[in-house]
Amino acid sequence: MPRASKRKSDEPKSTSAKSCRSESVTSASGKTTKFGMSVDNLFQKYANKLLGMIDPEGIESLCSDLGVDHTNVRILMLAWKMKAEKQGYFTQDEWRKGLKDLQVDTINKLKKALPKLEAEVMMPENFEDFYCYAFRYCLTEDKQKCVDIESSCLLIDLVLGSQFRAQVDSFSEFLKNQADYKVINMDQWTNFLRFCQEVSFPGLENYDTDQAWPVILDNFVEWMKEKQN
């Protein structure tokens, strides 16, 4: 995924030690479990002590220990599993939730869980939610609603490239060579997934402009047909 900004203004507010402890994984009796302690100890290995959370440097260290690049789609899937709100940062509550759901408390267990996590994400009932999450995760500024074209192309390739390579390559080429759009919004983003799932490609025989597709996809189809002719 696109590298997160490291500007100070992008850093979430630190989490107090008290609030961190209050959300710890506990047993029915209210005591912190051995599993919960292991999860918390693992979090502390990567956390920025001043921020009280894992920051971009910590995530890169985590990726190194997992043996995956920070741009690998499985890291984005892990963020989805944690329901992480800020790109490049994992809070302790997000970390606890994700690792509890995955039932892992060591790096080796987490590494072994990544293929299963990918299979879970790719299930039809989960993939659309993941796809929409990926877009929201890239909204790094307050009140931001769109993603620039360059980042959109990188993100589309990351999340859809393995399934719809021809569509992704053609759409990315179109985006990079047109001048009408500088950014992509959520409606355009979600409709491109629908386009990949529903429209025959590259023939485009069943593309119907009466189905209220976003104009950017109408333009893409027109561009494709001009190339084919």
Side-chain angles (χ1 to χ4, degrees):
M1 57 188 172
R3 186 185 295 269
S5 170
K6 298 182 182 179
R7 293 176 296 170
K8 291 184 178 180
S9 60
D10 287 337
E11 295 177 353
K13 294 180 180 179
S14 62
T15 305
S16 69
K18 181 178 180 180
S19 63
C20 285
R21 289 195 299 270
S22 68
E23 297 296 332
S24 182
V25 180
T26 59
S27 64
S29 64
K31 295 181 179 179
T32 302
T33 64
K34 182 178 179 181
F35 174 85
M37 292 178 63
S38 296
V39 168
D40 284 354
N41 288 338
L42 192 59
F43 174 84
Q44 293 301 329
K45 178 180 178 181
Y46 301 105
N48 179 309
K49 301 304 186 290
L50 294 177
L51 292 176
M53 62 183 68
I54 299 174
D55 64 4
E57 287 81 3
I59 289 180
E60 290 198 14
S61 179
L62 171 65
C63 290
S64 177
D65 289 348
L66 290 172
V68 298
D69 191 84
H70 73 276
T71 61
N72 190 293
V73 70
R74 289 180 174 178
I75 300 304
L76 182 58
M77 291 174 175
L78 182 60
W80 171 80
K81 191 65 173 177
M82 293 183 185
K83 298 188 183 302
E85 294 184 359
K86 182 75 174 179
Q87 185 184 131
Y89 296 86
F90 295 152
T91 68
Q92 190 159 13
D93 284 348
E94 291 166 350
W95 178 265
R96 286 167 174 163
K97 181 199 178 304
L99 269 63
K100 181 181 179 182
D101 287 350
L102 292 170
Q103 282 299 293
V104 300
D105 60 353
T106 68
I107 280 295
N108 286 338
K109 290 179 181 178
L110 181 56
K111 188 174 184 178
K112 291 177 180 178
L114 292 181
K116 294 181 180 178
L117 173 60
E118 183 171 6
E120 177 187 348
V121 169
M122 299 305 292
M123 295 173 67
E125 60 267 33
N126 293 328
F127 187 76
E128 185 173 350
D129 182 70
F130 167 73
Y131 181 78
C132 293
Y133 170 84
F135 184 87
R136 294 193 302 270
Y137 194 58
C138 282
L139 302 178
T140 57
E141 304 292 337
D142 290 342
K143 299 181 180 180
Q144 182 181 350
K145 295 183 179 180
C146 300
V147 177
D148 66 88
I149 293 297
E150 182 180 358
S151 297
S152 295
C153 290
L154 291 172
L155 191 60
I156 289 172
D157 183 72
L158 183 67
V159 299
L160 287 184
S162 63
Q163 297 182 71
F164 303 104
R165 172 50 58 195
Q167 292 93 323
V168 167
D169 286 348
S170 294
F171 191 52
S172 294
E173 182 184 353
F174 163 74
L175 290 176
K176 292 173 181 178
N177 286 281
Q178 55 79 43
D180 295 328
Y181 297 89
K182 302 297 183 185
V183 296
I184 295 292
N185 62 36
M186 176 63 90
D187 181 64
Q188 295 162 338
W189 176 260
T190 55
N191 271 281
F192 181 65
L193 174 61
R194 176 186 157 214
F195 174 91
C196 292
Q197 293 171 333
E198 298 180 6
V199 177
S200 60
F201 196 88
L204 307 169
E205 295 88 356
N206 63 335
Y207 185 84
D208 185 355
T209 55
D210 293 332
Q211 290 187 7
W213 292 99
V215 175
I216 193 171
L217 290 177
D218 289 339
N219 294 346
F220 171 55
V221 169
E222 182 179 352
W223 177 82
M224 282 291 300
K225 289 181 177 179
E226 288 177 355
K227 282 191 65 177
Q228 292 168 358
N229 293 333

